[in-house]
Amino acid sequence: MKKETLDAQGLACPLPVIQTKKLLVDNDVVETIVDNFIATQNLEKMANQLGYEFSVVEESKTKYIVTIKKGEVEDGVVIDTLSDKCVVPVTQAKRTLEEETKVTILVRTEESVESLRKFAEKNNYTFEVSDLEEGFKVVITREETEKEESVVAVKDDSYIVVINKKQMGHGSEELGKRLIKGYLYALSEQEVLPKKIIFFNDGAILVDKERSHVLNELKELENNGVEIVCCGACIDYNKIDLAVGNPTNMYFIVEDMRKANKIIQP
């Protein structure tokens, strides 16, 4: 088993993720040393995306040792929501199955199981559930058919929204705050919802538990399957207490924007 150690202490986001991912091409195990908790979360997201095993040891508040290992992939991509209440299981399953044929999601409640069951039935996916000591293991499989392989290209209406300000437009701050609230409400009423909303810079204020004035609109969007993410560096800089969505990093922001069919910025 080939193993490599990466000392990523002092490296800014998203360098720890990028360098770890490169090392995983030629190694079975990569041990990455980082100096902040956000970096461990970003590495965990990458590991989950790739279907690799993840573990972390906190040696101190400024030193974390993350181990990512290429394990068995019979469960497909594994998403553990047992310890992360911010993760929306259906949103994560939907996103994963756009590129993978199988996803395993660990959830705590029967309500989450039923939401995933409805999602699978709606899309004609195979659904399996089994009990865990602390919750449930749900496996959803998307079977590729000959019909899918021969389908010609069709119009793609998908899009993502990026928001980098706590208000919409320039000029009056009061008016700008009203406009962004109205925009997000109108967005939630669209026939085609965005796949994802990305918040960064001053826009991070809009996902803060105390300072946001648009949480109702954002929670409505998230409940309807829209993935909401916020730049991790912006969370730190603006001292954000996340009320909705999950942290991300510039590596994934660039990847999401590169892959997006359309990008809209209010």
Side-chain angles (χ1 to χ4, degrees), residues 39-49 54 68 80 83:
T40 70
Q41 291 180 309
N42 292 332
L43 287 164
E44 183 175 13
K45 288 178 187 296
M46 182 195 68
N48 287 339
Q49 272 194 345
F54 172 90
I68 297 178
D80 185 354
S83 57

Side-chain angles (χ1 to χ4, degrees), residues 12 49 111 129 152 157 224 230-231 254:
Q49 272 194 345
E111 182 181 358
V129 60
V152 296
D157 288 332
N224 283 296
C230 183
C231 159
V254 170

Side-chain angles (χ1 to χ4, degrees), residues 247-258:
T248 186
N249 62 53
M250 198 54 66
Y251 177 84
F252 291 118
I253 289 175
V254 170
E255 191 173 61
D256 287 334
M257 294 177 75
R258 177 179 63 82

Side-chain angles (χ1 to χ4, degrees), residues 127-142:
F127 177 91
E128 301 173 36
V129 60
S130 56
D131 292 338
L132 298 174
E133 183 177 341
E134 66 275 45
F136 304 89
K137 174 182 175 181
V138 174
V139 180
I140 301 176
T141 307
R142 171 177 62 82

Side-chain angles (χ1 to χ4, degrees), residues 210-229:
E210 300 296 332
R211 289 173 284 175
S212 174
H213 65 294
V214 295
L215 291 182
N216 289 337
E217 289 77 13
L218 292 178
K219 288 177 179 178
E220 179 68 19
L221 285 160
E222 188 175 57
N223 288 338
N224 283 296
V226 177
E227 184 178 3
I228 295 174
V229 296

Side-chain angles (χ1 to χ4, degrees), residues 10 25 32 44 56 66 73 84 102 106 111 115 119 133 137 143 150 159 166 175 178 186 204 214 248 250 254 256 261:
V25 173
T32 304
E44 183 175 13
V56 58
V66 171
V73 295
D84 190 347
K102 191 173 189 178
L106 310 182
E111 182 181 358
S115 296
F119 164 74
E133 183 177 341
K137 174 182 175 181
E143 296 183 5
S150 62
Y159 61 101
K166 63 182 178 182
L175 176 59
R178 290 182 190 174
V214 295
T248 186
M250 198 54 66
V254 170
D256 287 334
N261 180 48

Side-chain angles (χ1 to χ4, degrees), residues 49-116:
Q49 272 194 345
L50 298 172
Y52 296 161
E53 296 177 16
F54 172 90
S55 63
V56 58
V57 175
E58 180 182 348
E59 291 201 344
S60 70
K61 293 300 180 183
T62 56
K63 185 176 182 181
Y64 301 81
I65 300 177
V66 171
T67 302
I68 297 178
K69 178 181 178 183
K70 293 178 179 177
E72 297 295 327
V73 295
E74 24 179 79
D75 282 341
V77 175
V78 179
I79 299 171
D80 185 354
T81 75
L82 295 172
S83 57
D84 190 347
K85 296 179 181 178
C86 293
V87 174
V88 180
V90 172
T91 299
Q92 294 296 319
K94 181 179 178 182
R95 179 187 182 191
T96 302
L97 288 168
E98 287 174 355
E99 297 185 359
E100 306 292 337
T101 58
K102 191 173 189 178
V103 62
T104 296
I105 306 182
L106 310 182
V107 297
R108 188 174 297 280
T109 68
E110 292 184 2
E111 182 181 358
S112 294
V113 172
E114 285 308 306
S115 296
L116 289 165

Side-chain angles (χ1 to χ4, degrees), residues 7 15 49 55 94 146 153 165 182 225:
D7 186 353
L15 289 177
Q49 272 194 345
S55 63
K94 181 179 178 182
E146 293 182 7
K165 294 185 294 183

